[in-house]
Amino acid sequence: MTQNAVGVEFTQRLAENPKSAEERAAILANPGFGDYFTDHTAVVDWTVDAEGKGGWHNARIEPYGPIAMDPAAAVLHYGQEIFEGLKAYRHADGSVWTFRPEANAHRFNRSAQRLALPELPPEVFVESLRQLVSVDKDWVPSGDGEALYLRPFMIATEAFLGVRPAREVSYRVIASPAGNYFGGELKPVSIWLSEHYARAGHGGTGEAKCGGNYAASLAAQLEAEANGCKQVLFLDPTNDNAVEELGGMNIFFVFTDGRLVTPALNGNILHGVTRDSVLQLAQDRGLTVEERKITIDEWRQSLADGSLAEVFACGTAAVITPIGELKTADGSLASPAIGSDSVAMAIREQLLGIQTGAIEDLHGWLTRLA
Ligand SMILES: *Cc1c(COP(=O)(O)O)cnc(C)c1O
């Protein structure tokens, strides 16, 4: 294939020993999250030629399996890596669709710029998803709240220990059947306020979707678990303790007067596709939407004076999850209970309805994959 080709050709080498229908059925009966992978993977290579010009080539579907890599590969030392996450949903007629993949492709390229990786033509990004889902279509679950989670990523594979952008890069997509992210029924989660660790700083990589951000969140995550919480809330400690986001989800506040507030994208916060979709659906419902700074003090104050109605987190993996409680080193802020008539639940149902084809897709958010 050639760079920027719209009609990019993927070659296919199919797995000789794919999982049997029985094995697959057993996995799909209880998929969990991120524990099992489909039989194939999509791969596209990028190299720099003798003239110093980079290009994408050798787009292919191959059997899922270990990646042979030189121990000096740059990604293993300096973390030159980015990723994406989106889902493929099975509709009632058996067709398979994904949600706003162009938005993920665009964000992937912004992450690539920040990590000095090559940009991937968005049509190659979308085609790679289509190719992978076409061969692994039987892996797309059809149960309530289930989907095939798609994980595109890009890694620096060039073997050298100098510090500079790699000249050999690999783009890949793997897929994993997914049930409910937090397991079981939808219950409000407790989150831990990280006061020692920030996940991002001004000018850093906070709005890039890169593995390093997650590595940097793990110590805080351990602290959260030690305190009985499933997720961490990160602040901007240099800005009045402004709320930023969770380790892998954006955060929203609903006030009793009908305002929906989420922290403004300040360079540290991941541009969530779910976040953007929630803002749109809230506006469609006539809610007043505010993207602005919101501090821990305002959170505490609005709880105390009764003006805060709901707190929830959102992201592709967990969709929308109510936050029941914010635990801190010196006490806890319990959120009001989120009922079935809440904004969080209404938007959750609407979003899931659009994604699964049960509700009309008025914004043109769906793309058919298979
Ligand atoms: C991926 C991610 C999100 C959610 O983004 P979606 O596009 O809604 O899935 C939020 N925060 C972080 C840090 C993320 O990596």
Side-chain angles (χ1 to χ4, degrees), residues 18 61 81 136 143 178 184 198-199 204 230 272 316 320 360 366-368:
I61 293 293
E81 185 266 1
D136 285 337
R199 71 172 281 285
K230 291 208 167 157
T316 296
I320 287 178
E360 195 185 348
L366 297 185
T367 293
R368 185 162 182 180

Side-chain angles (χ1 to χ4, degrees), residues 39 44 100 193 211 250 321:
D39 296 311
V44 193
R100 305 187 67 184
L193 179 64
N250 296 113
T321 301

